[in-house]
Amino acid sequence: MDRPRLLVVQPADSDPPARLGEWLDQAGAVLDVVRPAQQPVPTTPAEYQGVVCLGGGMGAYDDSEHPWLAEVRKLLSASVAQRVPVLAVCLGAQLLAVATGGQVRKGPRGPEAGPSLVAKRDAAGRDPLFADLPLLPDVIQFHEDEVHVLPPAAEHLAASPTYQHQAFRVGSSAYGIQFHIETTPEIVAEWARRNPARVAAARPGAFELERLRESHQDVAETWQPFAERFVRLAAGELVPAAPTGRDLPLV
């Protein structure tokens, strides 16, 4: 088939597609980037074969300051209902959870920030995107809110000691990841400069540029093949996961 078209929702200028966009492009996808604060967001995936939703500093419920968040949640809900593959990152994962019946809250254990590891859950071994990941994949953390309650139709795919719901799948092909895989060392260093409180919560030296460069190499080894599998899923070349069989409330 033709190269799959992916709609990329970029809620904040500070979190562009960056390396994830490069990986998706190299894997054969065509990317259409929408900045919802400046452009209308489609309420359905329509002509797209996949949707990517990135992160941002706002919260999943901050509609009063960012009314377009409701449009993004509608898009994610429609994508799940139509079984269009979704990859939702950090804020995107929180919006996906809320759009499909989950709950998000401020994390009671404080910020989670810096290079880290997450641990695959048993269900990940049966998942077409997660099965080939290492048991403890390298990730970049930078969040204060958490997915407190998973949607009722979600499979729990990865956890960390600080916050359990690090990765999940809703339905057959909508993935939420609380951590970041899209960043560059320079992007994360700028986040750290703007957020000293989160830096204080991290391990000493976590945001030194050389440390960030090393960790991003580790992230790329794991997550670039994952991005390639997502493109194959969007293209119809990879069989999606079996549905859970549970009811899925969409909001």
Side-chain angles (χ1 to χ4, degrees):
M1 64 176 292
D2 295 334
R3 298 179 68 186
R5 292 185 63 198
L6 305 183
L7 176 62
V8 180
V9 180
Q10 182 184 333
D13 290 341
S14 60
D15 190 14
R19 295 197 310 170
L20 176 59
E22 295 173 4
W23 298 340
L24 296 171
D25 175 76
Q26 291 168 11
V30 176
L31 309 184
D32 289 348
V33 180
V34 171
R35 294 174 173 82
Q38 305 166 19
Q39 304 162 270
V41 177
T43 55
T44 72
E47 71 270 26
Y48 294 99
Q49 285 74 56
V51 174
V52 176
C53 186
L54 299 170
M58 60 290 295
Y61 301 110
D62 288 350
D63 292 32
S64 59
E65 296 178 47
H66 308 282
W68 48 263
L69 285 168
E71 298 175 2
V72 177
R73 291 196 300 271
K74 288 178 183 177
L75 169 65
L76 295 172
S77 174
S79 299
V80 173
Q82 297 174 30
R83 298 187 178 181
V84 172
V86 172
L87 178 56
V89 178
C90 200
L91 170 65
Q94 295 164 8
L95 291 168
L96 175 63
V98 171
T100 54
Q103 297 176 24
V104 171
R105 68 177 180 180
K106 188 174 182 64
R109 302 183 69 177
E112 192 173 31
S116 186
L117 300 172
V118 296
K120 287 167 58 176
R121 303 277 294 191
D122 288 347
R126 304 184 297 272
D127 184 86
L129 298 193
F130 273 76
D132 289 340
L133 293 180
L135 183 61
L136 298 171
D138 289 275
V139 301
I140 303 295
Q141 300 281 9
F142 209 86
H143 68 102
E144 293 183 1
D145 292 352
E146 67 155 339
V147 176
H148 173 46
V149 178
L150 287 176
E155 287 277 9
H156 188 190
L157 300 174
S160 80
T162 306
Y163 292 112
Q164 278 291 299
H165 300 145
Q166 291 291 334
F168 58 94
R169 189 192 70 250
V170 183
S172 62
S173 57
Y175 293 84
I177 55 175
Q178 178 60 79
F179 44 84
H180 294 276
I181 63 173
E182 78 283 10
T183 54
T184 65
E186 292 74 20
I187 287 171
V188 177
E190 178 61 17
W191 292 352
R193 187 187 68 81
R194 296 183 181 184
N195 294 272
R198 293 193 192 177
V199 174
R203 295 186 182 91
F207 291 98
E208 293 177 359
L209 197 54
E210 187 56 35
R211 172 73 179 95
L212 289 174
R213 287 174 177 152
E214 293 173 358
S215 62
H216 276 77
Q217 290 178 357
D218 294 334
V219 167
E221 289 179 8
T222 294
W223 295 100
Q224 183 170 3
F226 174 93
E228 293 168 353
R229 291 193 292 276
F230 182 77
V231 172
R232 291 179 57 208
L233 183 66
E237 299 172 1
L238 196 63
V239 177
T244 61
R246 287 171 281 182
D247 292 335
L248 178 62
L250 302 176
V251 298

